[in-house]
């Protein structure tokens, strides 16, 4: 979703849709994102309760959401360089990675905070 021109729905946000009825189930981040969402990922283990999104702003802010509750857990700046991919670890919802131009990082979600380890 890219920022639009409408006053109400024009702000960049994430919509989670029901794939059968095509209705919007949840709206996340109205007013939280600056430009556009460049990457998005759902957690894979358990019920897929978490959603991660990266804002296309200058600092490429990564945010983690409990999407069914429409609640942001945390957000932090990730990189000044463009980011191309974001994924959760297939067996651990608390581990993610991001990669892009001059960038490969491993993230850990612990007690509501993201910590980053830059790859060599």
């Amino acid at each position: 979703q890219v920022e639009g021109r409408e006053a109400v729905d024009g702000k960049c946000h994430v919509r989670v849709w029901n794939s059968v009825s095509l209705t919007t189930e949840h709206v996340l981040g109205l007013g939280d994102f600056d430009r556009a969402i460049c990457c998005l990922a759902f957690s894979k283990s358990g019920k897929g309760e978490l959603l991660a999104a990266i804002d296309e702003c200058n600092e490429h802010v990564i945010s983690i959401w409990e999407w069914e509750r429409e609640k942001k857990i945390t957000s932090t700046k990730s990189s000044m360089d463009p980011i191309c991919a974001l994924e959760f670890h297939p067996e651990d919802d608390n581990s993610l990675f991001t990669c892009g131009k001059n960038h490969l990082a491993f993230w850990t979600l612990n007690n509501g905070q993201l910590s980053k380890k830059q790859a060599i």
Side-chain angles (χ1 to χ4, degrees), residues 18-68:
N18 180 308
S19 63
V20 176
S21 67
L22 302 179
T23 58
T24 299
E25 299 284 326
H26 302 280
V27 177
L28 309 173
L30 270 172
D32 284 304
F33 300 107
D34 286 339
R35 291 190 191 155
I37 308 299
C38 64
C39 298
L40 183 111
F42 286 93
S43 59
K44 294 175 176 40
S45 68
K47 296 179 181 177
E49 298 136 353
L50 301 179
L51 179 143
I54 297 181
D55 191 346
E56 185 66 21
C57 65
N58 292 337
E59 296 87 16
H60 294 94
V61 174
I62 181 172
S63 55
I64 308 294
W65 300 78
E66 289 179 356
W67 64 270
E68 289 182 304

Side-chain angles (χ1 to χ4, degrees), residues 5-110:
R5 295 189 178 135
E6 300 296 322
V8 177
D9 290 331
K11 294 291 182 187
C12 180
H13 58 278
V14 175
R15 289 182 178 261
V16 179
W17 299 82
N18 180 308
S19 63
V20 176
S21 67
L22 302 179
T23 58
T24 299
E25 299 284 326
H26 302 280
V27 177
L28 309 173
L30 270 172
D32 284 304
F33 300 107
D34 286 339
R35 291 190 191 155
I37 308 299
C38 64
C39 298
L40 183 111
F42 286 93
S43 59
K44 294 175 176 40
S45 68
K47 296 179 181 177
E49 298 136 353
L50 301 179
L51 179 143
I54 297 181
D55 191 346
E56 185 66 21
C57 65
N58 292 337
E59 296 87 16
H60 294 94
V61 174
I62 181 172
S63 55
I64 308 294
W65 300 78
E66 289 179 356
W67 64 270
E68 289 182 304
R69 295 178 56 204
E70 299 180 8
K71 179 184 178 217
K72 182 167 61 172
I73 297 172
T74 189
S75 64
T76 190
K77 296 175 184 178
S78 63
S79 173
M80 294 298 286
D81 291 317
I83 296 179
C84 302
L86 162 71
E87 281 295 327
F88 278 91
H89 187 284
E91 297 174 1
D92 181 6
D93 287 351
N94 295 316
S95 298
L96 306 97
F97 88 92
T98 55
C99 66
K101 180 181 177 189
N102 300 318
H103 172 90
L104 177 60
F106 299 93
W107 298 85
T108 303
L109 179 63
N110 190 10

